[in-house]
Amino acid sequence: MSFMKEVVVDCRGHLLGRLCSIIAKEILNGQKVVCVRSEDINMSGSLYRAKLKYANFRRKHTNSNPSHGPFHQRAPSKILWRTVRGMVPHKTPRGAAALDRLKCFEGMPHPYDRKKRMVIPQALKVLRLRPERRFCKLGDLSAEFGWKHKDLIKRLEDQRKVKSEAFHKKKVAATRARQVAQKEVKISDEDKKILAAAGFA
């Protein structure tokens, strides 16, 4: 990514590890990154395999007092955040500052639903995983382990998509109308000279 004020990444269809490694590099370089739709991230391997691995991770805790950690996050955005944290030297001031540049969300909350979103081709499942290989979604894994908001996020996303489609149709119609108007407009010779002098010929 070239340096921008803030990059909004649509995580849908990306592979978890590849996506996180690229995000980690960017935030360490000083780029602010916002990840939306983290529940639609893909992981290679079947859901059954992912559940076994997460169950194994969940067993690891402080024996004398489990509330001392390690903490096992259930929400997809938190799992994404923790995966990035593992790729950043988070105990140093530089790493802590880098993590402050990262925001992760399920769904697409305002104002990011109105902003241009990006994908990262190096991390896309369709480009990186062979079509016969198994994969699963992070949202499904989270729901299996106690994330309670899967249905809520789906409902909000359905509402957002309806609004987004209406906006897109309106925008396409306005662009088309403008192109037609530009073709039909008549400009006098005097005005053409003025426009040419201003560099709009």
Side-chain angles (χ1 to χ4, degrees):
M1 299 176 211
S2 58
F3 193 78
M4 295 162 67
K5 191 174 180 183
E6 189 176 58
V7 174
V8 182
V9 178
D10 184 357
C11 297
R12 181 177 172 272
H14 290 72
L15 288 168
L16 180 64
R18 289 179 183 270
L19 174 68
C20 289
S21 62
I22 292 163
I23 289 171
K25 195 70 181 167
E26 289 297 325
I27 60 175
L28 282 167
N29 284 341
Q31 175 67 63
K32 285 185 179 175
V33 179
V34 178
C35 302
V36 294
R37 285 215 278 189
S38 56
E39 74 280 1
D40 286 335
I41 290 175
N42 294 139
M43 299 165 74
S44 57
S46 65
L47 181 61
Y48 178 73
R49 189 163 183 264
K51 280 167 69 177
L52 288 178
K53 284 196 282 189
Y54 202 84
N56 190 31
F57 167 58
R58 255 182 72 189
R59 270 209 319 278
K60 294 174 172 61
H61 59 78
T62 307
N63 214 5
S64 56
N65 189 352
S67 67
H68 286 178
F71 304 111
H72 315 104
Q73 305 290 353
R74 307 299 205 271
S77 60
K78 293 286 188 185
I79 293 174
L80 171 66
W81 183 87
R82 197 181 197 277
T83 310
V84 174
R85 192 189 75 171
M87 302 179 183
V88 168
H90 66 98
K91 292 187 180 182
T92 65
R94 174 173 170 259
L99 278 179
D100 287 340
R101 294 185 202 108
L102 175 65
K103 291 180 187 173
C104 304
F105 299 101
E106 291 95 14
M108 231 176 259
H110 181 81
Y112 304 111
D113 56 343
R114 307 279 174 91
K115 293 192 176 180
K116 186 171 176 63
R117 300 176 288 278
M118 298 196 167
V119 296
I120 299 172
Q122 303 98 296
L124 284 172
K125 181 193 75 79
V126 289
L127 300 179
R128 286 294 173 188
L129 205 64
R130 290 175 60 140
E132 73 273 13
R133 297 293 182 199
R134 291 180 182 188
F135 68 94
C136 62
K137 280 167 69 172
L138 188 55
D140 295 339
L141 177 68
S142 290
E144 293 277 354
F145 281 98
W147 180 53
K148 296 182 176 67
H149 305 298
K150 186 179 177 183
D151 296 333
L152 170 67
I153 292 294
K154 185 180 183 305
R155 196 174 79 234
L156 291 172
E157 277 295 283
D158 290 343
Q159 289 173 6
R160 182 191 63 78
K161 284 171 187 171
V162 169
K163 284 183 186 173
S164 180
E165 190 180 0
F167 169 78
H168 181 67
K169 283 179 180 172
K170 189 178 172 184
K171 186 181 173 185
V172 167
T175 308
R176 199 166 286 151
R178 188 177 176 192
Q179 287 171 345
V180 170
Q182 282 176 333
K183 281 180 186 173
E184 291 177 354
V185 73
K186 301 283 191 294
I187 303 173
S188 66
D189 293 336
E190 287 176 25
D191 289 343
K192 278 181 184 173
K193 285 176 186 173
I194 293 165
L195 286 169
F200 292 107

